[in-house]
């Protein structure tokens, strides 16, 4: 059993070990990917802010809160 595990590790290293140093396996994002991700997140936040602060959504939220506070048990 131990011999087959060591053989399997050898095959794994031979197949993937060399690629890891050459960038074959991604282990994280690069700086440009972080920049694009940050810009996309900011754009999504801006759109979400505009939607939440729009008149229709704001009045719906106020109505919901008013109805919840005026509820009789």
């Amino acid at each position: 059993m131990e011999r087959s595990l060591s053989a399997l590790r050898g095959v794994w290293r031979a197949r993937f070990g060399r690629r890891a140093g050459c960038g074959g396996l991604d282990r994280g994002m690069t700086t440009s990917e972080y920049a694009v991700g940050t810009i996309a997140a900011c754009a999504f936040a801006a759109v979400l802010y505009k939607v939440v602060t729009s008149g229709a959504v704001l009045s719906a939220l106020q109505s919901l809160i008013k109805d919840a506070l005026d509820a009789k048990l």
Side-chain angles (χ1 to χ4, degrees), residues 19-33:
R19 286 192 212 160
C22 299
L25 296 176
D26 289 335
R27 297 193 181 258
M29 293 193 305
T30 61
T31 305
S32 60
E33 290 170 331

Side-chain angles (χ1 to χ4, degrees), residues 24-51:
L25 296 176
D26 289 335
R27 297 193 181 258
M29 293 193 305
T30 61
T31 305
S32 60
E33 290 170 331
Y34 275 116
V36 170
T38 302
I39 290 170
C42 290
F44 180 71
V47 169
L48 188 61
Y49 177 77
K50 284 291 189 183
V51 167

Side-chain angles (χ1 to χ4, degrees), residues 2-68:
E2 184 64 33
R3 189 171 185 177
S4 64
L5 285 176
S6 108
L8 185 61
R9 285 187 195 118
V11 169
W12 181 265
R13 281 190 203 115
R15 176 172 264 183
F16 298 109
R18 282 183 251 136
R19 286 192 212 160
C22 299
L25 296 176
D26 289 335
R27 297 193 181 258
M29 293 193 305
T30 61
T31 305
S32 60
E33 290 170 331
Y34 275 116
V36 170
T38 302
I39 290 170
C42 290
F44 180 71
V47 169
L48 188 61
Y49 177 77
K50 284 291 189 183
V51 167
V52 171
T53 57
S54 69
V57 174
L58 197 57
S59 66
L61 286 173
Q62 286 175 346
S63 172
L64 181 71
I65 292 171
K66 182 179 180 278
D67 291 344

